[in-house]
Amino acid sequence: MTRIFSGVKPTGHLTLGNYLGAIRQWADVDQYRADALFCVVDLHALTVDHDPGRVRRLSRQAATLLLASGLDPERCSVFVQSHVDEHARLSYLLECVATDGEMRRMIQYKEKSVIERARGGSVRLSLLTYPVLMAADILAYGADEVPVGDDQTQHVELTRDLAVRFNQRYGHAFAVPRATRPEVAARVMDLQEPTSKMGKSHESGAGIVYLLDEPDVVRKKIMRAVTDSGDDVVYDPETRPGVSNLLEILAACEGGNPNGLSGVYESYGALKKDTADAVVELLRPVRERHKELVADSAYVEEVLRAGAERARGKAKPTVDAAYRAIGLLPPAPAVPEAVPVNVAR
């Protein structure tokens, strides 16, 4: 059976982009067709300056939203990355296979290191090496497919390279995964900066629709979305990024194609209104289910515990085999304590 792994990083509140670009596909399709593992990758949140309490809160919120979005723990494994030691165990082995040049060519490292230096901060080593941890996340489970947005494709290609290199040097240990992407809205853009991805941690948040935004907030953000010069409502991401982003969001909400909506609307206002209505209705059941789950924290904790246990059972044999293949001495098995024998006299 095909195995899928993917995850979300708790560096901010989950957004419409996270939902349309990944989570909805996981809930509607992937968990039914594959052995699927979905993870809150909290270790990745430590690569930049962070508040520990906020990371914990966002990790729980992300896990709860995954369940609220329709992930069924009877069909898939939902867990937190740091609850399964095999991620960190395998990451160091893969660092011993990766090269410095590969890490420094990663686009996200280049972008985030510039931002961090501009803030006057120092760039953590983990920001450079976290693509290797991401590779460990995937390879530990023998994943065949990794559903990702366009911006993560480079990291999956690195994962493939590391798997092939390890297998060639030390013997076959890893499956070589491939990236998969949804056909529509693989990369939802910021409503105020339509040439930039709708990320979780933009300072103003004015162009970001969060999954837990109230309906009136969602409407306000979409109605204030930046459009383009000209009056015709056409789908052309290169020259009309603002209106194209709205058409892509609307098409994704309705299960259509943005090209099919090109030329349908006579004004930006009408497009914005329909897009706002569609997004509000799309997120309504997610928000309602999230509220129910927040009131039942014991259930969420049990789901994460059971998910981590299943994930550990799938990852440990692969990681143990990689340790042996690369040349590490396995620990001696525990010696059972001697049982005292009563001798009758």
Side-chain angles (χ1 to χ4, degrees):
M1 189 176 187
T2 299
R3 180 167 289 175
I4 291 174
F5 176 90
S6 200
V8 293
K9 186 164 58 173
T11 51
H13 302 287
L14 295 184
T15 72
L16 178 67
N18 298 128
Y19 185 75
L20 290 178
I23 298 171
R24 185 175 64 169
Q25 170 83 12
W26 302 349
D28 291 353
V29 178
D30 292 336
Q31 69 173 337
Y32 295 100
R33 69 178 182 86
D35 177 12
L37 301 103
F38 301 112
C39 181
V40 178
V41 287
D42 54 344
L43 295 176
H44 289 290
L46 311 184
T47 59
V48 295
D49 190 32
H50 64 277
D51 171 45
R54 185 170 187 265
V55 170
R56 283 190 289 270
R57 289 192 299 273
L58 289 175
S59 296
R60 177 179 289 276
Q61 184 186 87
T64 306
L65 278 168
L66 291 180
L67 298 174
S69 298
L71 291 186
D72 182 353
E74 297 298 320
R75 292 185 175 274
C76 64
S77 298
V78 181
F79 63 103
V80 176
Q81 178 190 32
S82 64
H83 295 177
V84 180
D85 294 344
E86 277 61 36
H87 293 256
R89 287 182 63 210
L90 182 55
S91 182
Y92 181 74
L93 262 60
L94 296 179
E95 284 186 15
C96 297
V97 177
T99 67
D100 177 75
E102 285 175 317
M103 297 299 98
R104 296 188 186 279
R105 286 194 295 271
M106 293 290 107
I107 294 172
Q108 289 204 14
Y109 170 72
K110 293 179 180 179
E111 294 175 349
K112 292 181 179 180
S113 61
V114 168
I115 294 172
E116 197 65 24
R117 290 189 183 99
R119 291 173 176 169
S122 57
V123 179
R124 300 185 181 191
L125 180 61
S126 55
L127 185 61
L128 178 66
T129 60
Y130 91 89
V132 177
L133 176 58
M134 181 176 174
D137 298 338
I138 298 164
L139 297 180
Y141 297 102
D144 303 293
E145 297 181 10
V146 188
V148 292
D150 292 339
D151 59 323
Q152 293 292 333
T153 302
Q154 186 186 34
H155 289 157
V156 179
E157 288 304 313
L158 172 69
T159 301
R160 291 171 55 85
D161 291 343
L162 294 179
V164 170
R165 191 178 306 155
F166 190 103
N167 290 346
Q168 289 175 343
R169 289 181 182 177
Y170 306 113
H172 185 83
F174 302 119
V176 180
R178 63 184 180 275
T180 59
R181 290 173 292 279
E183 294 181 1
V184 178
R187 197 176 191 194
V188 177
M189 312 307 279
D190 190 290
L191 295 172
Q192 292 299 312
E193 300 177 17
T195 57
S196 300
K197 185 184 75 166
M198 184 181 284
K200 294 190 290 290
S201 53
H202 194 284
E203 290 184 2
S204 72
I208 303 171
V209 174
Y210 297 106
L211 297 188
L212 295 179
D213 276 346
E214 295 290 338
D216 60 335
V217 174
V218 173
R219 293 183 190 281
K220 184 179 297 184
K221 289 179 177 180
I222 293 176
M223 295 305 294
R224 292 178 177 177
V226 169
T227 48
D228 313 287
S229 58
D231 298 323
D232 51 333
V233 182
V234 295
Y235 183 68
D236 184 350
E238 293 296 323
T239 63
R240 310 291 296 280
V243 68
S244 296
N245 187 38
L246 291 171
L247 289 169
E248 190 139 358
I249 292 171
L250 178 58
C253 289
E254 297 180 341
N257 188 297
N259 282 302
L261 295 172
S262 188
V264 170
Y265 288 90
E266 296 182 356
S267 69
Y268 292 149
L271 171 62
K272 289 180 177 181
K273 181 182 182 301
D274 282 1
T275 303
D277 289 343
V279 172
V280 167
E281 183 57 27
L282 180 75
L283 298 185
R284 178 186 55 77
V286 177
R287 293 179 61 253
E288 291 176 353
R289 179 59 177 151
H290 177 267
K291 186 180 296 185
E292 294 173 357
L293 291 169
V294 167
D296 192 0
S297 60
Y299 169 76
V300 175
E301 289 176 0
E302 175 56 24
V303 166
L304 296 179
R305 185 204 62 76
E309 185 176 341
R310 287 196 301 271
R312 191 178 305 111
K314 294 175 181 180
K316 192 175 187 304
T318 298
V319 176
D320 286 349
Y323 267 59
R324 292 192 298 270
I326 206 170
L328 296 178
L329 184 67
V335 178
E337 293 183 8
V339 178
V341 178
N342 293 323
V343 179
R345 293 186 179 181

